[in-house]
Amino acid sequence: MKKFTIFPLILIVALLVTSFLIFGCGGQQDSAEKKTSPAKKQYISIGTAKVGGTWYPIGAGIAEVLNKNVPGIQATAEETNGAVANVQLINDGKSEVGLTMPSTAFESYTGQGNFKGKKNLLMAWFSIEDVYQTTIVPKGSSINSATDIKGKRVGIGQPGSANFIDGKLWLEASGVSTNDIKMLYMSQSEMSDALKNGQIDVFLWCTGYPSASIQEIALARDMVFLPTSKEAIAEIQKKYPYYSLKSIPPGVYKGLDKELPTMSYRRMVVISEDLDEDTVYKMTKAIFGNINYLGSVHPIFKDLSLNNALDSLSIPLHPGALKYFKEKGVPGLDEFVKRTKEIRSK
């Protein structure tokens, strides 16, 4: 009869226990690490314009509010080439949010103009910033109306910028082709200096009032402010019904002694349809729940409210924004949804 040796049995048990401690506890540790590891951030790129302009600090303010109030969001304002570039960045999947104009958003959504045959990911988020076409010429010049601009040197925004698009739209609606003038592409500060120094004949800029730049021009040299005709607005509204004829009140600028009727609309913030409904709902809630703070970041936000959130929007709302606005009973929402539902995306 063989003797039973206990040592090998003890060795086997010891090895099994050791394996359990190593692999079993290791597995528990891995699970614990997974449970405690931070949630993955969702990055939100916000297309603005050149640093130094109005749109960059607006984008920075939006990013700051999102970062502070929407868990898991990491938003950043990006310097871009402006309205058209911001739309294209969203359509290319390189950006999630952008500032633009209703006409540019409409063209993207319907596949017209610069966006013919291109993919559209654009949806409306909310409107921001009332702007007014402000066209000024030196007092004593031969320019007394829009039609007199033919043959003149005209300062206009950089191609693709909101002010380039607005200026071109205003000129063409007023009966002036871009072939009739010498267009000089400039920033607002460059245009201001050029007008004061006699290097251009016409200053075209669409902005809120009062504009510090235009105030400076009017103080440096006597200026005449050209109105927008009812006929020009009617022509614009055939394609873009969200433009209207409003007035800059007298006294806002030196030399403006009576109301100036001119082309006006609200610019808009657009958002990618690739963002899910819940995320955009939380983002919208964060923005409209922090309007007072945003107003301290930039004065443009002081005008933002649920009452004008839909003004000038030219394409359908993102479902997340729509959900929030429904909860808040935003005025005119049902009419807006019905109107934009008829717009067909590509």
Side-chain angles (χ1 to χ4, degrees):
M1 182 176 175
K2 291 183 179 179
K3 290 184 178 180
F4 180 75
T5 305
I6 197 168
F7 178 74
L9 181 60
I10 294 172
L11 181 61
I12 291 169
V13 171
L15 288 171
L16 288 172
V17 171
T18 303
S19 298
F20 173 77
L21 290 173
I22 292 172
F23 295 105
C25 292
Q28 290 177 354
Q29 185 178 357
D30 288 344
S31 298
E33 285 177 355
K34 287 178 182 177
K35 288 179 182 178
T36 58
S37 61
K40 187 177 179 182
K41 289 279 188 182
Q42 181 163 16
Y43 293 95
I44 303 292
S45 171
I46 303 172
T48 61
K50 295 297 182 184
V51 173
T54 303
W55 282 11
Y56 188 83
I58 291 175
I62 292 172
E64 184 180 352
V65 164
L66 295 180
N67 291 336
K68 287 182 177 179
N69 295 279
V70 185
I73 289 288
Q74 182 62 57
T76 308
E78 308 286 357
E79 182 180 18
T80 70
N81 288 325
V84 175
N86 293 340
V87 170
Q88 195 58 58
L89 285 167
I90 291 176
N91 289 342
D92 291 342
K94 297 177 180 178
S95 188
E96 288 71 38
V97 174
L99 281 82
T100 193
M101 307 157 56
S103 56
T104 304
F106 183 82
E107 287 187 350
S108 173
Y109 195 82
T110 57
Q112 300 179 44
N114 293 317
F115 305 97
K116 188 173 183 179
K118 295 182 180 179
K119 181 181 180 181
N120 175 73
L121 293 177
L122 216 64
M123 301 204 81
W125 191 10
F126 59 91
S127 73
I128 189 169
E129 187 190 13
D130 282 301
V131 291
Y132 302 79
Q133 180 61 43
T134 311
T135 306
I136 53 179
V137 300
K139 190 173 183 178
S141 76
S142 60
I143 304 171
N144 298 303
S145 67
T147 53
D148 296 330
I149 292 175
K150 292 180 180 180
K152 304 299 183 181
R153 301 166 299 171
V154 178
I156 196 167
Q158 295 290 342
S161 70
N163 279 288
F164 172 82
I165 296 166
D166 285 332
K168 186 170 178 287
L169 182 65
W170 183 85
L171 286 166
E172 291 175 347
S174 301
V176 181
S177 165
T178 52
N179 295 324
D180 296 332
I181 58 175
K182 182 179 180 181
M183 288 198 297
L184 299 168
Y185 309 118
M186 300 177 171
S187 67
Q188 189 176 30
S189 59
E190 290 170 339
M191 203 183 302
S192 298
D193 290 339
L195 186 65
K196 286 185 287 186
N197 297 331
Q199 296 168 316
I200 59 173
D201 305 304
V202 183
F203 174 106
L204 285 178
W205 206 261
C206 200
T207 183
Y209 67 78
S211 160
S213 179
I214 295 173
Q215 284 179 322
E216 183 185 335
I217 295 170
L219 288 171
R221 188 174 177 182
D222 289 340
M223 293 290 164
V224 173
F225 294 77
L226 299 184
T228 303
S229 68
K230 291 180 180 178
E231 292 76 17
I233 284 295
E235 187 65 28
I236 291 168
Q237 288 177 332
K238 288 178 182 178
K239 187 174 182 180
Y240 306 119
Y242 26 83
Y243 284 80
S244 62
L245 190 66
K246 293 185 179 179
S247 293
I248 299 176
V252 169
Y253 302 114
K254 179 177 175 288
L256 185 60
D257 300 323
K258 59 182 181 179
E259 280 193 348
L260 179 72
T262 191
M263 179 183 87
S264 178
Y265 68 96
R266 281 178 72 81
R267 289 180 177 156
M268 60 188 288
V269 186
V270 289
I271 195 162
S272 174
E273 68 176 26
D274 282 348
L275 289 175
D276 65 85
E277 180 177 329
D278 186 58
T279 297
V280 176
Y281 171 83
K282 291 174 181 175
M283 290 167 63
T284 311
K285 184 176 182 179
I287 293 298
F288 286 90
N290 290 276
I291 290 175
N292 288 338
Y293 174 74
L294 284 167
S296 70
V297 173
H298 197 287
I300 280 176
F301 286 111
K302 292 180 179 179
D303 180 50
L304 179 63
S305 76
L306 289 171
N307 290 328
N308 59 24
L310 305 179
D311 291 0
S312 294
L313 297 187
S314 56
I315 61 175
L317 283 164
H318 190 286
L322 178 60
K323 179 182 177 181
Y324 179 79
F325 291 152
K326 276 184 177 179
E327 284 185 3
K328 292 297 181 180
V330 169
L333 182 60
D334 290 341
E335 292 176 9
F336 172 83
V337 170
K338 183 179 179 181
R339 173 172 59 82
T340 55
K341 193 175 182 180
E342 298 172 358
I343 302 171
R344 291 290 179 262
S345 178
K346 302 186 297 299

